[in-house]
Amino acid sequence: MLLTLLLLTCVLNAHASEPWPSYGCTHPSPYTAPIPVGVPNRMTIEVDDPNLFNSFRNYFLYLPPGYNGTVALPVVYYFPSFYVDAEEAFNTNKLYWLSGQEGGNYIVVVLNGMNDCNELNCDKGGMPTVSWNSYGAGFNGPSPAGPICDSNRTKWGLYPCYSSCQAVSNNDTCGPCVSASCSNDTKFFETVKDQLNNNFCTDTRRLYVTGMSVGAMMGVKIATLFADVLAGAVLAAPGVMHGWWKPPTHPIPMMDIHGHFDDIIPANVTNSHLWPKFKSPYYPEASFSEDGFYYVPSYNWTRDIARINGCNMTNADGWPPNGSWVPWKTSIDGQAGWQCGEAFGRCPTAYPLVRCTWNGLHELPLVGKRTSYAHMHIPKNNLTHPQKVHAFALAAWEFLSPLYRPFNTKPDAQKTEETQPETDL
C-alpha cells in the first residue's frame, strides 16, 4: 500500500509541471518569414472594438534565443504605465534581459496602450499619453458607489478626452473623471493571447501578467477576469478606483508591490497625497491620490484575493507587528528596504498572495530615479545601476516561474466588455 502511494505521488509530481502546448506548437506558422528571436518585434493585430476609429493595435513580442517553435514556453505579459509606450517599457522593465539568461527562457509580450485623441500626442507636454481602460478610468460617469475623483480638475489636472470616449458619449465630451481611453483593453489582451497561442509554441499552463501603475491596474483587472486562464501576476504600484472592485471567481497567485512613499496610487489611506490634509469626502476608507482620485486601499482588494486563494487569514490585519505577516524570501531582500510577506497568513503553495514594499515612490522597484530623497525623509538608494534596473525582472520571475495553472481548471466563457460598469462594488 505504501509503495502504491509513493508511486502515485511521484506520478502526480511529474505531471504537476507538465506543459500544455498550445495550438501553435503542432501547426505551421502563418508568417511568411520567421519571427526573429532575441530581439523585440513590433506586431500589429486587429481588434474587434467598435469604439476605435482604427481597429489595429500593436504590441512588442520577444522570443528568447532558445525559442525553436516546438518546445512550449511560458509567456509573461506586461502592461506599461501612463505616458510610457510599449517600446520604452520593453527597454526599462528588463524582462527580456532575464529571459535570455540561464533559468529564464520565456516569451515576453509588452502591450501598447491607446493614445487615440486625433493628435500625434494627446498631452500637450509632448509625452505619449497611452492609457488603459480599467476600473472606471475610461467610463464616462461615477462608479456604482459614487464619484471616483475630485471633480475640480482645474486644481488636480485634466486628462485628455480620447476619441474613443467621445464615440460613446452622447455629446462628444468626457466627464471630469475620465482619465483613459475608452477602448476595450480586455478584448485587446484576449485577442493577443489567442493569437500568440495559435501562432507560437506557448505553454498555456504558464501564462502570466505583469504591469506598472495604470498598467498594473489593468493587470489587476486582467488577473481577476482571467484567473481561470492565468497562472500568476506581479504588479508594481497597482490600484483599483473606488466602487469598481470585483473579486475573482477563481484563485490567482499575486505579488502586489508598492513603494512606501507612493502617493500617486497610494497603497492605503495614510499614504494618501499630503495625508491627512486631503481626504475623500465620500469614502473615509479610500486613499487620495496626487491627481485627486479615490482608490480602494490595497489591503482591501488583496484581502479578497487571499480569501479566494485559500490563505488562512489568521488575524488578517495584513502587516506586522499586529498582523499575520509571514515573511516571503526573495533574492533582493534588504535592497533599498525591500521586504515581502504573505500578508494574510500562510497561503496554499499553488496560490500565494504576497505583498512587497520598498523605500521608493511611484516607480518600478528598485529603480529610485534619484539617489537621495532626503527632502521626503526617504533613505538613500545607493544600489548599483544593475541592481536597480534588474530588480523588477528578478523579483517577478522568481515569483512566477514555479507557478502553473492546475490541470483541473477549465477556462470560463468569453470575458465581459470594458464599456459597461460592473455591478459589484
Side-chain angles (χ1 to χ4, degrees):
M1 181 67 178
L2 179 58
L3 179 60
T4 302
L5 289 174
L6 288 174
L7 289 173
L8 179 60
T9 301
C10 291
V11 170
L12 291 174
N13 288 337
H15 286 282
S17 58
E18 183 179 325
W20 273 354
S22 67
Y23 178 90
C25 296
T26 55
H27 291 75
S29 170
Y31 300 103
T32 56
I35 303 298
V37 301
V39 294
N41 299 277
R42 188 182 185 92
M43 310 292 287
T44 301
I45 189 170
E46 187 171 13
V47 181
D48 182 16
D49 187 347
N51 292 337
L52 295 180
F53 296 115
N54 182 351
S55 59
F56 288 92
R57 299 188 61 172
N58 61 77
Y59 62 94
F60 273 74
L61 170 68
Y62 176 84
L63 302 175
Y67 179 82
N68 61 16
T70 59
V71 177
L73 296 184
V75 184
V76 178
Y77 291 90
Y78 182 87
F79 292 92
S81 60
F82 205 74
Y83 295 119
V84 178
D85 63 16
E87 182 175 7
E88 180 182 351
F90 175 85
N91 290 317
T92 56
N93 65 38
K94 301 301 180 186
L95 289 167
Y96 75 91
W97 163 82
L98 188 58
S99 175
Q101 308 295 310
E102 183 178 352
N105 206 33
Y106 52 84
I107 297 170
V108 179
V109 176
V110 182
L111 300 107
N112 216 10
M114 282 305 300
N115 184 19
D116 54 306
C117 60
N118 293 331
E119 298 178 23
L120 180 61
N121 290 308
C122 289
D123 188 78
K124 301 303 180 183
M127 300 179 71
T129 314
V130 292
S131 64
W132 298 104
N133 181 8
S134 176
Y135 290 119
F139 182 69
N140 199 9
S143 77
I148 62 171
C149 82
D150 187 320
S151 61
N152 184 358
R153 302 320 298 172
T154 302
K155 179 177 182 179
W156 298 106
L158 184 66
Y159 286 94
C161 185
Y162 295 83
S163 303
S164 54
C165 297
Q166 296 175 39
V168 298
S169 171
N170 293 327
N171 54 7
D172 294 333
T173 60
C174 292
C177 297
V178 175
S179 59
S181 166
C182 292
S183 55
N184 189 339
D185 291 324
T186 299
K187 186 69 174 179
F188 175 41
F189 168 79
E190 191 166 33
T191 305
V192 172
K193 173 184 66 67
D194 291 345
Q195 183 191 69
L196 225 71
N197 290 341
N198 289 334
N199 297 345
F200 298 91
C201 190
T202 67
D203 182 355
T204 58
R205 292 187 65 205
R206 301 183 70 193
L207 307 181
Y208 311 108
V209 64
T210 62
M212 166 66 196
S213 185
V214 293
M217 188 189 306
M218 189 67 207
V220 176
K221 181 77 171 181
I222 293 298
T224 54
L225 275 177
F226 292 85
D228 58 322
V229 173
L230 297 170
V234 173
L235 306 167
V240 176
M241 289 188 183
H242 203 279
W244 288 98
W245 170 238
K246 186 175 182 179
T249 56
H250 298 266
I252 178 71
M254 183 175 291
M255 174 181 279
D256 161 39
I257 304 169
H258 255 97
H260 185 65
F261 302 92
D262 182 357
D263 68 345
I264 294 180
I265 299 184
N268 51 56
V269 176
T270 56
N271 281 94
S272 295
H273 179 60
L274 299 181
W275 183 85
K277 180 178 180 180
F278 295 111
K279 300 178 182 178
S280 167
Y282 308 100
Y283 327 108
E285 78 283 7
S287 60
F288 192 100
S289 71
E290 185 188 47
D291 57 351
F293 279 77
Y294 314 138
Y295 286 90
V296 179
S298 295
Y299 165 78
N300 294 40
W301 60 264
T302 55
R303 177 185 56 193
D304 287 347
I305 295 175
R307 286 184 175 135
I308 297 292
N309 286 7
C311 306
N312 63 33
M313 309 304 291
T314 54
N315 188 25
D317 293 330
W319 291 94
N322 299 318
S324 51
W325 179 272
V326 178
W328 181 276
K329 292 184 178 181
T330 76
S331 60
I332 60 173
D333 285 350
Q335 297 181 17
W338 174 271
Q339 61 169 320
C340 299
E342 291 179 292
F344 302 96
R346 188 72 69 186
C347 302
T349 303
Y351 301 114
L353 189 287
V354 175
R355 300 184 67 193
C356 303
T357 187
W358 65 289
N359 295 329
L361 299 173
H362 189 73
E363 53 204 348
L364 277 177
L366 305 164
V367 174
K369 297 181 178 65
R370 292 160 290 189
T371 57
S372 175
Y373 295 106
H375 65 292
M376 296 182 64
H377 308 289
I378 304 177
K380 291 183 179 181
N381 183 347
N382 294 322
L383 300 178
T384 65
H385 180 72
Q387 285 177 314
K388 292 179 181 179
V389 299
H390 294 155
F392 175 74
L394 288 169
W397 188 239
E398 191 174 45
F399 178 80
L400 295 172
S401 59
L403 301 173
Y404 295 77
R405 187 163 63 88
F407 275 116
N408 60 349
T409 58
K410 182 180 179 181
D412 293 337
Q414 189 174 17
K415 309 304 173 182
T416 55
E417 297 293 318
E418 282 288 337
T419 51
Q420 297 298 319
E422 302 286 358
T423 55
D424 297 54
L425 304 184

